Amino acid sequence: FERDLEQEKVERRRRIPYHMHINLELIEACHLLSAMLLEVPNIAAAEHDQRRRRISAQYNRQLDILFKKTFIGPPESVKDQIMVA
């Protein structure tokens, strides 16, 4: 029983307060949004110059997945909303 109390104290020290948590969905949305702002001019310039370099591989992968879909329904998450934009 004494060991359980010590373990509980250690676990309490490891916990992070709610206001210090980082929302992973928000980080992903910021990353995709900034990648979109950098990548869209490259995609537009690629029509004239085929030697464009990819800035964000993750954004391009998500964009390819989106283009391969036969039916694109309404966006359900923040990530989907950014990719549809």
Side-chain angles (χ1 to χ4, degrees), residues 19-33:
H19 70 281
M20 294 179 73
H21 282 271
I22 298 176
N23 187 352
L24 295 179
E25 186 176 349
L26 178 64
I27 291 175
E28 183 181 28
C30 291
H31 175 263
L32 287 174
L33 189 62

Side-chain angles (χ1 to χ4, degrees), residues 39 43 52 54-64:
E39 198 71 47
I43 293 170
R52 73 176 182 98
R54 291 172 43 169
I55 294 176
S56 175
Q58 181 184 4
Y59 180 78
N60 282 313
R61 189 173 340 121
Q62 294 295 330
L63 202 59
D64 290 340

Side-chain angles (χ1 to χ4, degrees), residues 42-57:
N42 271 359
I43 293 170
E47 294 178 5
H48 304 293
D49 182 18
Q50 295 298 323
R51 296 176 294 141
R52 73 176 182 98
R53 65 182 183 99
R54 291 172 43 169
I55 294 176
S56 175

